[in-house]
Amino acid sequence: MRWPLAAVLAASVAAWALPAAAEDCAVLAGPHPGGVVVTAARPVVPGPAGWQPETTSGYRPLPVTVPLCRVEGTIEANIGFELWLPDPAKWNRRLLGAGVGGDAGVYNYTDMSRRVGEGFATVTTDSGHKTSQARWMADPKVRVDYEHRATHLTTLAAKALAADYYAKAPDKSYFLGCSGGGRQALKEMQLYPGDYDGIVAGAPGPFMPLISVRMMWFSLLQKQNAAAALTDADWDLYERASNAACDANDGVRDGIVENPLACRFKPAQLACAPGQATGCLPPAKVAMLSEIVAPMRDEAGRPMDKGLLPGVRTRPGPPSPLLRAMWADAVYDDPAWDENSFRRTADLGKVNVIMPHLRADSTAIAPFITRGGKALIYQGWQDPSVIAGPTIDYYHRLEAAQGGAAALAKAVRLMMVPGMYHCHGGPGPDEFGGSGQVAAPSDPSHDILWAVIDWVEHDRAPERLVAAKIAHGDVVLTRALCPFPKSAHYDGVGPTDKAASFACAIDPQLATDR
């Protein structure tokens, strides 16, 4: 876009300060302060079918139908980022950071493509490396960039570039992420309180090193005891039986366990009776399942965590590549490291030293709150990857640090999602505008991003959200999500598949469980 010649001549006195928004977005290309280099800045004008960037990652984009300026760049050479700037006439004066999960190395095109059409300038980073980069965790700088620096530096670059392009800075900035993206969200709130006005952190794993030890240890136990190793079918059986036993605890049998803390199902209940060959587990598998769901113990028999909630399944098979990289590359810098030498206590201590900011459990968030920041944390009760217990424990620690539950709830709230797996999926509702989920633009009652926007900009704290379950394009049920320690209570009258039949009320067990 260019100013008409007459307008340029009329403003000749200030022509030297011509804002970049008045020029083709290509003027953003080149070096910028802070080690930022824009390697490409191109206008995108979608055709009738929309435009999508190419990617092989799991963050698949939706067709983009609005014109934008696509900015690609690097920071300090190794941190990659993309910034999409919608047409100035369509910009809603907000910046949205899109978090990336797992071992990162890719861009979150899913949330970018969904939200740019709502008017957000959207930005994402690969966290300082590419998926093709072998043994990236062996590089100290890349490790720290992955832990927290890349997201922060990308945010600063995006704000500056947006201000250049639009000739005005964003009015407000928001961050949306789940899993590793949720952890990035917490790190922003904890370390860089001025980066974002509102934060949505899904399945954030505040104690990620400890969760990683749990995953590693029990994967190894099953690898070393093949006869007791649990298959997907075994976990299906356990999940079905546990859910069936506890489904009605909330007053309605609908396939969704509202509060697994109230469930008392034990793995021993799946033991095969004499002569029984199906729908049960043999003794070795019952013992393995019982050990996995119980608190993990250290070498001296002391509990290291609180175990798994009833009905929560885990990832079968060998340790994931990310877990191996954490110790083989980051801790020991030895590609031939023998994972069978893994030690729970010692190796947890070592990863906490070599990657101290992999944890996102700091409760020092007063600067974020003082400047008016708001945060919504969401967590699936049945998440098998980033288990729910540590997220609840972290929220309790925030309550204590901020002067109690009522004080914390003025700025930070936790939404527990019944029946949801990791960021999405599971028997319960899993669509409410979270990262990677279907959006409800401008609707704070159905979209968690817009709920935090409404909280920041209009001081309306979310008292409930409506989450949906979508199958084959149709909404098959809706359910109320409530701010912790409330949960959804059925009214005993209305349709059990409608959120309107459920009210949010204090759950005594959630309010007292520590």
Side-chain angles (χ1 to χ4, degrees):
M1 178 188 1
R2 298 182 181 277
W3 281 5
L5 180 59
V8 174
L9 293 175
S12 59
V13 174
W16 60 272
L18 213 60
E23 301 288 336
D24 188 329
C25 80
V27 301
L28 295 177
H32 294 261
V36 176
V37 176
V38 172
T39 56
R42 296 181 291 264
V44 173
V45 180
W51 166 81
Q52 294 170 282
E54 294 183 3
T55 182
T56 58
S57 82
Y59 288 100
R60 298 303 174 94
L62 285 71
V64 175
T65 59
V66 297
L68 59 89
C69 173
R70 182 187 187 186
V71 179
E72 301 171 78
T74 62
I75 306 170
E76 299 177 347
N78 67 294
I79 300 170
F81 73 91
E82 277 208 31
L83 171 65
W84 295 356
L85 301 163
D87 184 276
K90 302 295 185 182
W91 185 37
N92 65 17
R93 300 291 298 275
R94 301 180 181 101
L95 173 72
L96 177 67
V100 178
D103 54 356
V106 297
Y107 297 136
N108 183 349
Y109 286 144
T110 304
D111 290 334
M112 292 182 76
S113 61
R114 176 172 281 125
R115 300 295 183 171
V116 74
E118 298 175 31
F120 294 93
T122 61
V123 67
T124 189
T125 175
D126 61 13
S127 295
H129 65 277
K130 302 297 184 187
T131 54
S132 58
Q133 182 176 341
R135 304 194 65 239
W136 61 268
M137 272 197 182
D139 185 324
K141 181 186 187 305
V142 174
R143 284 200 302 269
V144 178
D145 291 340
Y146 172 75
E147 288 177 284
H148 62 94
R149 287 184 77 250
T151 305
H152 171 58
L153 295 179
T154 296
T155 301
L156 298 184
K159 287 183 176 181
L161 290 167
D164 284 348
Y165 183 66
Y166 295 116
K168 50 191 170 186
D171 288 341
K172 298 292 182 182
S173 297
Y174 298 91
F175 191 90
L176 174 67
C178 192
S179 190
R183 189 189 64 82
Q184 291 168 350
L186 291 189
K187 298 303 287 191
E188 282 292 307
M189 178 173 67
Q190 295 161 5
L191 296 180
Y192 308 107
D195 281 2
Y196 291 98
D197 301 285
I199 282 173
V200 179
F207 305 98
M208 199 62 231
L210 180 57
I211 294 176
S212 298
V213 168
R214 162 174 275 277
M215 292 178 180
M216 189 75 172
W217 179 246
F218 288 116
S219 291
L220 289 173
L221 283 187
Q222 294 178 86
K223 172 187 168 185
Q224 296 159 3
N225 186 357
L230 299 164
T231 65
D232 265 333
D234 296 331
W235 283 111
D236 285 344
L237 173 65
Y238 170 64
E239 181 184 29
R240 287 196 307 271
S242 178
N243 286 354
C246 303
D247 184 3
N249 287 353
D250 56 5
V252 58
R253 186 170 290 281
D254 58 359
I256 303 169
V257 177
E258 178 69 26
N259 176 10
L261 285 170
C263 184
R264 298 291 178 261
F265 185 84
K266 301 296 182 183
Q269 295 173 241
L270 291 176
C272 293
Q276 184 180 7
T278 60
C280 62
L281 296 178
K285 291 195 173 190
V286 170
M288 179 63 74
L289 177 59
S290 298
E291 186 170 1
I292 292 174
V293 303
M296 177 178 61
R297 297 188 177 275
D298 65 12
E299 291 79 0
R302 296 176 296 243
M304 299 178 72
D305 64 13
K306 295 182 179 179
L308 303 182
L309 294 168
V312 175
R313 58 192 300 140
T314 67
R315 179 183 183 272
S320 76
L322 179 58
L323 295 179
R324 177 176 173 80
M326 192 180 301
W327 281 280
D329 298 336
V331 172
Y332 292 105
D333 194 12
D334 178 8
W337 175 70
D338 180 8
E339 63 189 29
N340 293 307
S341 68
F342 182 77
R343 297 293 180 266
R344 285 153 288 176
T345 304
D347 285 322
L348 174 59
K350 289 177 179 178
V351 78
N352 278 333
V353 169
I354 201 82
M355 298 183 74
H357 283 290
L358 193 59
R359 294 171 59 165
D361 60 335
S362 171
T363 59
I365 63 169
F368 176 77
I369 294 175
T370 299
R371 64 177 298 273
K374 309 295 184 186
L376 290 176
I377 303 170
Y378 66 91
Q379 171 73 55
W381 271 115
Q382 290 186 222
D383 192 328
S385 298
V386 177
I387 55 179
T391 300
I392 296 173
D393 290 344
Y394 175 63
Y395 193 74
H396 284 316
R397 290 180 58 187
L398 284 178
E399 289 175 335
Q402 299 305 318
L408 179 65
K410 294 177 181 178
V412 182
R413 296 190 175 191
L414 168 64
M415 300 281 192
M416 298 301 297
V417 187
M420 189 175 81
Y421 291 161
H422 188 53
C423 300
H424 57 82
D430 62 343
E431 302 286 356
F432 47 89
S435 181
Q437 299 177 4
V438 173
S442 302
D443 184 353
S445 66
H446 290 75
D447 189 309
I448 195 167
L449 173 60
W450 283 97
V452 84
I453 292 172
D454 197 43
W455 197 5
V456 168
E457 299 180 12
H458 303 289
D459 199 28
R460 291 191 285 253
E463 298 299 338
R464 67 182 263 152
L465 283 172
V466 175
K469 187 72 178 178
I470 298 175
H472 308 296
D474 296 322
V475 175
V476 295
L477 70 88
T478 58
R479 190 68 165 262
L481 304 183
C482 307
F484 191 91
K486 294 180 180 180
S487 62
H489 292 256
Y490 177 54
D491 64 10
V493 179
T496 60
D497 60 351
K498 302 296 183 185
S501 304
F502 292 80
C504 291
I506 292 289
D507 188 317
Q509 186 164 22
L510 297 183
T512 59
D513 181 76
R514 293 293 189 274

